Amino acid sequence: MKEAVDNALDACEEAGILPDLSVEIRNHESEECTIIVEDNGPGIIKQQIPHIFGRLLYGSRFHAVRQTRGQQGIGISAVVLYGQLTTGKHAQIMSKIAADRPAVVTSLAIDTSKNRGEVVAQEVQHWDKPNGTRIEVTINANYRNGKRFVYEYLQSTSIVNPHARITFKDAEGQTAVFERTADTLPPKCVEIQPHPYGVELGTLIKMAKEAKSRKLASFLKTDFCSMGDRTADAVCQEAQLDRNLNPKELSRDQLAQLHKAFKKVKMMSPPTECLSPIGEMLIKRSLKNETQEISPECIVTASRPPAVFSGNPFQVEVGIVYGGKLPKDKSVRLMRFANRIPLLYQQGDCASTAAIASMDWRRYGFDQPNGVGVPTGPAIFLTHLCSTQIPYTSESKEAIADIEEIENEVRLAFRECARKVQHHINKKVRRVKTREKFDLITKILPEIAKKSAHMLDKPVPSLDKVITRIMDVVWIEDAIEYEKVKRTPGKAMQAKLGTDLAQLKDDGGWITKSSILIVNYKNKPQRFSLYALIPKDAVIGTITPQPTKVTPDYIRWNLESIDPTNKLDVYFELAGLNKGDFDENDLYVQGINPSYVIGADQWEGE
Amino acid sequence: MAEKDYKEVISKIDSIAQKVYSDLTKAEIPHLNLSTRTKANIRFDDNLNVWKYGKQTTERSAMSLDGAYMLLRTMYLVDFIKEMINQKKSSTLRETYYISEGWNLAKFSSQDESDLLAEDLEVITGCMREDFKLRPEEDGARVIGNLVIEEVTRNNAKKRIHCQDDVGDAGYGIPYNVEKEKLSFKQIDADFVMAIETGGMFDRLVENGFDTDSRAILVHLKGQPARSTRRFIKRLSEEKQLPVLVFTDCDPWSFRIYGSVAYGAIKTAHISEYLATPSAQYLGVTPSDIINYKLPTDTLTPEDIHALKSELDDPRFQDQFWKHEIKLQLEIGKKSEQQALAKYGLDYVTDTYLPEKLVELGLMKK
């Protein structure tokens, strides 16, 4: 199933179609179960079907490197073969390539001696879908044992593929839908030439044989990335090979020399456009969507800039879901992904686990005996590694090997996330305390005044001055609301400052409304500047009062002076975000002693 | 019962409201100060010969949420007391706790809270709980001995009760008010008062006729004694010049019972001079008795050990006798009960143990 889902997602993305997958499992009485995976991909022409589904290890790409799912797992053909060997049943593949073409149903067997798929029967059939592929394989397996894993696998897949919609129908006939949270496909992965640091000797030999260049130097420059004239010369010199040699005529030993020389010459890192990270906002959105029942306290994500190990570009993205109904006394749940594929097994051997375990989580409020190991606390940790070459520990491809560069990046990303979580918690604790004081001055103190006045038969005294003495802070409170507006098709637009709401409505989606209340509970008038951070993709709508400065990252107000016990309302609207994308204001103040202020931190500059 | 003049009580109560009110009008955070009621803040008063609160004070301020709640409850409670005085009513502490159900934000969350606040008011005003028309539950502490008590009953009639002949085996029940207007000692023929911690031992001594044979007034303390029981013992000791002996289990909690009878309790140190009997002597069971009489024992729990250690720096237990006994108990790590004396038979306590102890204390000749 995993193979089929991966292939389907790859196929859809390559064809620029938003994937809509349906997975069904049917349990037979005997130890057999049937797996059906259907997609809305481009379909496969009938001549190709035996090759794709019937040949082991077919389709290995040329030397160009690119981030794909396909490099993982055993391959769909192995599944077809396994089904054939254990149940004697042939795989049924239905595929349709265009709305005006009929669907072709192929019954496929694999001839193991020739490593080739054989068409047992092929017929034409009507299919409602305009295009897509459906594969049905019966295998010998106990579905009941794996039941939880199938669900988890699909849920996890949906989290890292926010653009995909997956419907799952289990053997008991229950249906679960993992809805998409993004309407755009991830940008297509660009192919790059292999980087000399990452190329294996065998591949180098093969590349040399098939080289189109007649000279060694130009072979290096055209078939590898990060190779300029100077670097190519340096490599030739290091390998003690003439730059004019014909690559096709190089001996194995000469190529081995060349391979060694690669490692000794300093080169530029490979380009990183070839990576397709999910993005902080999208990870947050999917996590939010999939953890609704837990109602977590906060979800934070962090993306590291691309980095390189042995010539392979990679990028780490992480997320933390914190609080809510997650158990406080259990180990943090880890979710690991590589190139948008969930890794379900061998958690203990994985570099991401090691990186997490090597951090001291106690300082971030988690339980962790001796400051090592996977911490305990109400949280889910997500790690996504994308790379042109995922370094697995073994053929089963379930754990990432312990590469120092990767572990470092994972650690840095989690550190950033953990800081955000801690910031959030601290802020909350402070707010609860202030909220208590607020109760005190609004409810209890007036009662005390009333009661004492009543006993003495005197008028109730004014409390303003006592209130400022008790609170002695400037209090900032904010609330965020969302308003659904009509959706009309159209591209996200760059609205200018002060854009009318009606205009924004044309863009459709949700309007995020942020209201900030500032109350001066100090005994003197206060005057300061307020900054509100805004997310990168947001479009700013109405702002009151008139802001002093607006940048893509923040809004700044130089507020007018606020008298004791007076308040001031600040309001702004954001469009271009989904409901819940912006769920917490990040407020800063300047020009006032930050210890006077509750609800905002000192502005540290941009 | 003579009608008491409550004018002074009312003016003291009003002064609390006045203090809070004037804080508010002066734009000050309302607060009340009262003596800190902890072990660290009790001092021996040479004039009164009892332990009283020292100079430390605690501030109840509306600066904090807890403090503000406390002040609000105080306002409600004093208002309630004033109303009771005006309407000539009284209520039990438990009733007061339930009355607070109707006080919204000022509602008490447990009876401990309302009891403590009533004590706070005593400390602040210098009045007694009884002045506030608040009384404890009947605690049923009882007395048996050759003693005639005259009690003013609820019908305002005077009734004389002989605490041997007019009572059953349970004895005379001490009422919550034992002040002179309510109760007086008419006739007494005894050599000493013995205050006993457990009901089982009290009954044993009664059954064995210890009160007649040894000319003793037996008072059942019923664990940590109520104020009225302590006041009763104090009056008996002072007015009739009788020595008082305290007979308890051998554990740190029982030592505290003795402490509250003889020195005054930490919680009620503001009225120690009314309640404490400085001349009361500790009879046993002492840790030394455990060894000398080879008594059956239990091992000290961690709580016991903690309590013993805390007694070591309790100013009330600083004399040679207590220091020695507490250290000894920590050393042997054992505790024992009064009734463990039954190891040697039911009559052992009256025939052997108590006579030996009384000789030791010089209250009986060999």
Side-chain angles (χ1 to χ4, degrees):
Chain A
M1 182 207 66
K2 177 178 158 155
E3 301 304 328
V5 169
D6 296 349
N7 283 354
L9 287 172
D10 267 345
C12 290
E13 278 166 31
E14 217 153 297
I17 298 168
L18 277 175
D20 196 340
L21 266 54
S22 98
V23 177
E24 190 180 340
I25 291 190
R26 285 188 203 147
N27 220 357
H28 297 278
E29 304 235 330
S30 54
E31 290 284 271
E32 282 177 15
C33 68
T34 302
I35 302 168
I36 302 161
V37 177
E38 187 180 313
D39 67 32
N40 60 340
I44 303 162
I45 55 168
K46 68 181 179 191
Q47 291 81 353
Q48 278 289 334
I49 287 174
H51 296 300
I52 290 171
F53 294 99
R55 241 167 121 171
L56 292 177
L57 305 174
Y58 176 79
S60 107
R61 293 160 310 280
F62 198 52
H63 312 296
V65 283
R66 190 160 71 97
Q67 176 193 332
T68 55
R69 297 182 180 80
Q71 43 173 288
Q72 288 157 32
I74 50 176
I76 184 68
S77 49
V79 178
V80 173
L81 179 62
Y82 181 72
Q84 179 182 321
L85 291 175
T86 56
T87 68
K89 291 181 183 163
H90 304 306
Q92 302 287 324
I93 294 134
M94 170 148 81
S95 196
K96 188 171 171 182
I97 51 172
D100 55 358
R101 300 280 295 273
V104 177
V105 181
T106 310
S107 189
L108 192 75
I110 295 179
D111 181 340
T112 43
S113 57
K114 291 184 194 145
N115 185 18
R116 187 186 292 165
E118 250 164 41
V119 177
V120 179
Q122 202 160 45
E123 59 181 90
V124 171
Q125 211 181 316
H126 175 71
W127 201 12
D128 287 341
K129 276 199 175 175
N131 51 279
T133 304
R134 172 189 155 105
I135 174 162
E136 183 175 332
V137 189
T138 302
I139 59 166
N140 194 335
N142 190 337
Y143 161 67
R144 213 159 291 135
N145 296 340
K147 189 176 162 186
R148 212 173 54 82
F149 279 109
V150 174
Y151 185 90
E152 224 171 85
Y153 178 78
L154 291 176
Q155 184 182 35
S156 305
T157 303
S158 139
I159 287 174
V160 282
N161 294 281
H163 56 286
R165 179 172 186 271
I166 303 174
T167 312
F168 173 48
K169 199 168 161 196
D170 70 11
E172 280 100 49
Q174 280 175 331
T175 309
V177 180
F178 304 101
E179 206 45 76
R180 66 167 66 90
T181 52
D183 293 338
T184 44
L185 279 168
K188 259 197 188 172
C189 310
V190 186
E191 285 189 358
I192 58 162
Q193 304 294 9
H195 191 274
Y197 283 170
V199 79
E200 280 163 28
L201 181 55
T203 315
L204 178 63
I205 293 171
K206 200 170 165 215
M207 285 171 75
K209 274 222 181 81
E210 293 162 5
K212 292 206 177 84
S213 316
R214 269 181 231 127
K215 288 181 179 169
L216 177 57
S218 70
F219 161 64
L220 290 175
K221 276 191 292 181
T222 51
D223 285 8
F224 291 92
C225 67
S226 308
M227 267 291 185
D229 277 327
R230 207 184 305 155
T231 322
D233 282 344
V235 169
C236 293
Q237 211 165 7
E238 184 67 41
Q240 295 178 323
L241 295 169
D242 184 2
R243 65 192 303 278
N244 294 321
L245 285 173
N246 186 342
K248 282 185 181 158
E249 289 162 9
L250 287 174
S251 70
R252 202 203 144 271
D253 285 347
Q254 281 175 313
L255 283 165
Q257 266 171 284
L258 184 67
H259 188 246
K260 259 188 213 153
F262 280 162
K263 308 268 149 109
K264 289 184 185 158
V265 175
K266 262 199 176 171
M267 294 177 210
M268 266 167 51
S269 298
T272 51
E273 318 86 70
C274 55
L275 295 172
S276 161
I278 305 165
E280 283 185 44
M281 186 65 92
L282 283 182
I283 296 182
K284 188 173 173 180
R285 229 183 251 178
S286 330
L287 281 175
K288 187 165 250 170
N289 194 43
E290 291 302 331
T291 56
Q292 270 168 2
E293 301 138 45
I294 303 169
S295 43
E297 222 167 83
C298 69
I299 297 175
V300 294
T301 49
S303 261
R304 294 290 306 160
V308 174
F309 75 92
S310 339
N312 301 302
F314 75 97
Q315 188 167 2
V316 171
E317 302 172 287
V318 306
I320 295 182
V321 178
Y322 186 87
K325 289 179 199 146
L326 290 168
K328 290 190 176 63
D329 52 353
K330 296 224 173 87
S331 275
V332 160
R333 184 173 150 210
L334 304 183
M335 296 182 93
R336 299 169 298 125
F337 299 90
N339 285 357
R340 295 177 188 246
I341 298 271
L343 308 179
L344 295 182
Y345 304 98
Q346 299 174 15
Q347 176 176 303
D349 302 333
C350 190
S352 69
T353 311
I356 290 167
S358 69
M359 291 170 64
D360 189 345
W361 285 93
R362 292 173 301 186
R363 69 166 80 172
Y364 303 114
F366 286 83
D367 277 341
Q368 190 189 33
N370 304 321
V372 284
V374 175
T376 300
I380 300 173
F381 289 0
L382 174 148
T383 320
H384 178 228
L385 170 70
C386 55
S387 175
T388 50
Q389 177 72 46
I390 304 279
Y392 288 107
T393 51
S394 68
E395 283 310 302
S396 63
K397 302 187 170 175
E398 289 289 353
I400 299 162
D402 56 338
I403 305 246
E404 208 191 315
E405 289 91 335
I406 295 180
E407 278 189 35
N408 268 337
E409 288 294 316
V410 172
R411 261 193 296 271
L412 287 170
F414 269 113
R415 205 158 288 158
E416 187 185 330
C417 258
R419 261 199 299 267
K420 285 188 207 163
V421 170
Q422 203 188 23
H423 182 75
H424 173 93
I425 294 169
N426 288 348
K427 208 160 136 187
K428 219 184 111 184
V429 169
R430 269 185 93 185
R431 284 217 176 181
V432 168
K433 277 193 189 151
T434 318
R435 171 65 60 187
E436 281 184 352
K437 283 223 162 159
F438 194 72
D439 280 353
L440 190 162
I441 55 153
T442 54
K443 292 184 195 155
I444 305 173
L445 201 63
E447 277 288 298
I448 294 177
K450 225 166 78 188
K451 203 81 190 170
S452 64
H454 163 80
M455 275 185 73
L456 303 169
D457 257 333
K458 285 181 179 169
V460 178
S462 153
L463 297 176
D464 281 0
K465 282 187 176 156
V466 181
I467 286 173
T468 55
R469 287 194 71 164
I470 291 177
M471 293 298 277
D472 202 29
V473 287
V474 171
W475 198 37
I476 302 180
E477 186 181 36
D478 66 283
I480 293 171
E481 289 179 323
Y482 308 97
E483 190 191 339
K484 179 86 181 160
V485 287
K486 248 195 198 162
R487 173 168 289 266
T488 47
K491 274 191 166 181
M493 55 166 196
Q494 264 322 107
K496 285 206 182 84
L497 173 61
T499 305
D500 188 56
L501 190 70
Q503 233 178 311
L504 283 170
K505 270 181 180 154
D506 291 342
D507 195 35
W510 290 88
I511 300 271
T512 304
K513 299 175 159 192
S514 173
S515 323
I516 303 162
L517 171 70
I518 303 166
V519 190
N520 178 13
Y521 286 124
K522 298 291 291 182
N523 57 7
K524 290 206 174 103
Q526 299 293 330
R527 182 181 189 144
F528 56 93
S529 302
L530 178 75
Y531 294 78
L533 296 197
I534 50 173
K536 284 185 197 89
D537 329 334
V539 178
I540 303 169
T542 309
I543 310 179
T544 54
Q546 188 66 28
T548 314
K549 191 176 175 187
V550 178
T551 78
D553 298 319
Y554 65 83
I555 309 171
R556 173 184 170 172
W557 294 268
N558 289 346
L559 299 174
E560 59 188 73
S561 175
I562 312 170
D563 282 334
T565 71
N566 278 23
K567 36 187 182 174
L568 186 75
D569 287 300
V570 174
Y571 175 81
F572 66 88
E573 285 178 351
L574 299 172
L577 297 172
N578 264 8
K579 184 184 178 183
D581 282 353
F582 183 73
D583 57 358
E584 194 179 7
N585 271 303
D586 224 346
L587 303 172
Y588 296 90
V589 288
Q590 196 180 32
I592 183 172
N593 182 340
S595 66
Y596 291 176
V597 182
I598 288 194
D601 293 326
Q602 168 85 324
W603 178 251
E604 302 281 6
E606 287 173 38
Chain B
M1 189 157 65
E3 198 51 60
K4 201 173 162 172
D5 186 7
Y6 281 100
K7 263 190 195 148
E8 204 188 319
V9 179
I10 287 182
S11 86
K12 278 182 173 166
I13 278 179
D14 278 347
S15 72
I16 296 179
Q18 183 60 53
K19 165 78 174 72
V20 170
Y21 187 85
S22 70
D23 280 347
L24 287 173
T25 49
K26 283 187 283 184
E28 272 175 30
I29 299 168
H31 63 281
L32 294 170
N33 286 310
L34 62 150
S35 294
T36 308
R37 290 158 62 193
T38 61
K39 184 171 79 182
N41 190 37
I42 54 170
R43 305 275 176 274
F44 191 76
D45 186 317
D46 290 321
N47 294 329
L48 297 166
N49 214 16
V50 291
W51 292 89
K52 299 281 288 177
Y53 290 125
K55 284 178 185 153
Q56 279 178 42
T57 59
T58 304
E59 191 184 69
R60 295 278 156 77
S61 155
M63 188 68 197
S64 74
L65 189 66
D66 288 347
Y69 269 117
M70 201 66 173
L71 279 182
L72 182 59
R73 288 179 187 132
T74 308
M75 288 300 114
Y76 268 90
L77 185 60
V78 293
D79 195 30
F80 171 65
I81 290 168
K82 198 172 165 182
E83 208 179 284
M84 277 199 299
I85 293 173
N86 288 335
Q87 297 183 355
K88 299 192 167 61
K89 286 254 167 68
S90 74
S91 86
T92 65
L93 289 167
R94 184 135 196 90
E95 282 168 335
T96 305
Y97 164 62
Y98 282 123
I99 292 264
S100 83
E101 285 282 326
W103 294 356
N104 300 320
L105 288 170
K107 190 178 134 182
F108 292 110
S109 50
S110 72
Q111 199 193 329
D112 282 352
E113 239 175 53
S114 56
D115 290 1
L116 273 171
L117 186 57
E119 282 169 7
D120 280 351
L121 286 184
E122 289 181 321
V123 176
I124 295 170
T125 60
C127 297
M128 293 268 278
R129 198 162 64 187
E130 288 70 21
D131 299 332
F132 300 148
K133 308 282 237 162
L134 296 172
R135 57 191 154 84
E137 308 303 297
E138 193 51 70
D139 59 30
R142 46 214 179 115
V143 181
I144 281 189
N146 194 351
L147 163 73
V148 176
I149 283 169
E150 187 180 83
E151 196 185 315
V152 179
T153 66
R154 59 200 170 283
N155 308 323
N156 240 357
K158 287 182 180 173
K159 180 160 184 151
R160 284 182 180 230
I161 300 158
H162 188 283
C163 295
Q164 277 169 331
D165 305 343
D166 298 340
V167 298
D169 289 348
Y172 166 75
I174 301 176
Y176 77 86
N177 182 2
V178 293
E179 294 309 314
K180 286 198 173 105
E181 72 264 14
K182 168 83 179 163
L183 182 150
S184 51
F185 306 116
K186 288 299 167 190
Q187 242 180 48
I188 190 154
D189 188 20
D191 293 339
F192 56 89
V193 177
M194 185 176 289
I196 300 145
E197 177 181 358
T198 64
M201 183 50 74
F202 179 82
D203 291 340
R204 165 66 35 229
L205 299 191
V206 172
E207 192 180 302
N208 290 4
F210 186 75
D211 53 324
T212 23
D213 296 352
S214 300
R215 298 171 47 74
I217 308 283
L218 305 180
V219 181
H220 176 207
L221 294 175
K222 237 190 157 185
Q224 186 61 252
R227 283 186 185 189
S228 58
T229 310
R230 284 184 275 157
R231 177 74 178 145
F232 183 90
I233 294 171
K234 177 179 176 74
R235 283 192 58 200
L236 207 48
S237 149
E238 271 182 3
E239 292 169 28
K240 303 296 166 190
Q241 266 88 50
L242 286 182
V244 173
L245 302 172
V246 181
F247 181 24
T248 66
D249 288 341
C250 182
D251 62 42
W253 321 102
S254 301
F255 303 161
R256 284 186 188 175
I257 291 176
Y258 166 73
S260 76
V261 171
Y263 309 133
I266 292 169
K267 238 169 57 142
T268 54
H270 56 294
I271 42 177
S272 285
E273 65 270 34
Y274 291 102
L275 301 177
T277 312
S279 63
Q281 284 178 284
Y282 188 68
L283 179 135
V285 176
T286 63
S288 301
D289 290 342
I290 291 183
I291 297 170
N292 296 339
Y293 292 89
K294 299 194 177 59
L295 295 177
T297 57
D298 284 320
T299 307
L300 293 176
T301 65
E303 293 78 36
D304 291 334
I305 292 169
H306 183 259
L308 281 170
K309 285 184 175 160
S310 141
E311 277 162 13
L312 275 179
D313 50 60
D314 187 322
R316 300 173 300 168
F317 291 98
Q318 292 306 309
D319 65 9
Q320 278 304 313
F321 169 78
W322 281 115
K323 286 214 144 177
H324 173 258
E325 291 295 339
I326 291 169
K327 281 180 183 159
L328 179 66
Q329 182 155 35
L330 282 169
E331 219 169 275
I332 60 177
K334 302 286 183 195
K335 60 181 176 180
S336 192
E337 292 183 358
Q338 293 180 297
Q339 295 178 63
L341 289 159
K343 174 188 177 188
Y344 301 108
L346 295 177
D347 295 337
Y348 183 80
V349 61
T350 43
D351 289 357
T352 314
Y353 177 78
L354 287 176
E356 281 181 15
K357 295 298 282 192
L358 289 168
V359 168
E360 211 177 284
L361 293 167
L363 287 167
M364 195 185 263
K365 282 176 192 137
K366 267 188 190 172

